[in-house]
Amino acid sequence: MTLDVPREVGTERSVAQVYDYGAHVWSWSLDGHDVLWTSVKSLFETGKALRGGVPICWPWFGPGRSGDLTPAHGFARISEWALAGRVDRGNAEVLTYVLDPEAAPGALPGEDWRVTYEVSVGDELELALTAENRGATSFSYEVALHTYLAVGDVRQVAIAGLDGASYLDKVTGQPEVQVGDVTIVAETDRVYDRGADVVVTDPVLGRRLRVASEGAANTVVWNPWVAKSAAMPDFGDDEWPGMLCIEAGNMLDHAVSLEPGGSETLRYRLAVEAS
Ligand code: BG6
């Protein structure tokens, strides 16, 4: 089934489109300039993930820690979320979404849980995802806000803030340590053991994108480059230079454990500065 049209929210200078499906922030523009990347090849069908914007990965990341879970990145991004609130705060408009086991009966991570997602669209884009354990037994989950940033040419950007951080290189399967800024010179798929507090300097678009996170132990940096883009049906073959994923989350050894009654919040803040 084709998706309904997205909601348009924000302020005069800051506009986002958000789908209830996946509680997916599909686009965000500030002063008319797109900050998030979206693929022209994205599918807009229930059961499929959107390609671009901010997919929510929950309650597992990729194929999960066991390596065999489907759908990839969990069911949250392909579930219908309930809109629980829409508030105009003047300098920002805020949507609140809720997902609970009714949307995904019998699924991981545990018997009773609730995920609440706040999307605040103002001079910055602020996202807050809270998972609560409402059952009687503890459970754990992985989570990521899988943000696709729009860049002028990914080969020319510098990503600061990860110097000295250890990471898993998912392309080679090897553990590594970052030295200096991250630059993209080939397929890049890395899980850093450091929360995102990252600045992406983009000389082509003449701007810096500042990503700040809270409640995240990991940052994922992803660009599929040539071969992997060509292999993805919902990703244009020549689109990879225009995007860069800087994801904040908790995964692998940093999965979140929640005791009964417990909750944890992951925050992602995106700001744009002229350079
Ligand atoms: C990244 C993963 O977060 O998402 C990559 O690290 C993966 O390994 C990418 O290829 C895209 O995943 P998907 O399921 O949206 O194609």
Side-chain angles (χ1 to χ4, degrees):
M1 225 168 65
T2 313
L3 302 188
D4 287 341
V5 291
R7 295 173 193 279
E8 199 156 295
V9 293
T11 64
E12 214 166 289
R13 59 180 302 238
S14 167
V15 182
Q17 289 177 307
V18 186
Y19 285 95
D20 294 353
Y21 178 73
H24 197 120
V25 178
W26 176 241
S27 66
W28 178 47
S29 63
L30 196 61
D31 299 325
H33 301 289
D34 278 324
V35 185
L36 300 179
W37 177 89
T38 53
S39 172
V40 297
K41 294 279 188 169
S42 179
L43 301 169
F44 296 92
E45 286 166 35
T46 52
K48 307 275 186 199
L50 295 167
R51 179 69 68 195
V54 190
I56 296 173
C57 305
W58 193 89
W60 57 87
F61 180 75
R65 284 163 287 165
S66 58
D68 60 357
L69 297 181
T70 54
H73 288 321
F75 53 81
R77 68 176 177 166
I78 56 166
S79 296
E80 199 67 33
W81 291 56
L83 184 70
R86 177 171 186 160
V87 177
D88 187 350
R89 295 200 179 136
N91 58 354
E93 196 169 9
V94 183
L95 295 183
T96 303
Y97 281 99
V98 170
L99 186 72
D100 59 31
E102 272 172 44
L108 289 171
E111 68 206 56
D112 198 6
W113 46 265
R114 173 175 290 172
V115 184
T116 307
Y117 187 46
E118 260 194 27
V119 176
S120 171
V121 185
D123 289 355
E124 299 188 354
L125 180 69
E126 294 183 49
L127 308 171
L129 187 92
T130 301
E132 286 170 70
N133 183 350
R134 297 155 67 92
T137 50
S138 58
F139 63 71
S140 65
Y141 62 88
E142 295 178 293
V143 60
L145 293 171
H146 190 309
T147 308
Y148 287 79
L149 302 175
V151 295
D153 182 346
V154 78
R155 293 162 290 199
Q156 296 188 49
V157 303
I159 305 160
L162 293 164
D163 185 25
S166 54
Y167 66 90
L168 171 66
D169 186 333
K170 288 176 66 180
V171 177
T172 63
Q174 296 304 308
E176 306 282 354
V177 175
Q178 182 63 38
V179 179
D181 289 351
V182 182
T183 52
I184 307 294
V185 295
E187 180 186 349
T188 303
D189 190 356
R190 301 176 180 177
V191 180
Y192 284 88
D193 281 330
R194 185 181 289 176
D197 195 359
V198 157
V199 179
V200 177
T201 300
D202 182 339
V204 174
L205 295 184
R207 68 185 185 186
R208 279 189 297 271
L209 301 180
R210 192 172 286 278
V211 174
S213 67
E214 282 173 42
N218 298 110
T219 303
V220 179
V221 178
W222 182 59
N223 179 279
W225 208 255
V226 180
K228 185 144 187 193
S229 303
M232 288 186 285
D234 61 343
F235 197 118
D237 291 1
D238 52 4
E239 288 185 309
W240 60 269
M243 59 69 71
L244 172 67
C245 284
I246 301 285
E247 310 165 35
N250 295 291
M251 58 218 38
L252 304 172
D253 294 346
H254 295 285
V256 180
S257 292
L258 280 188
E259 296 301 319
S263 70
E264 288 289 339
T265 299
L266 167 67
R267 292 178 198 280
Y268 190 111
R269 221 171 61 234
L270 180 56
V272 187
E273 296 168 359
S275 65

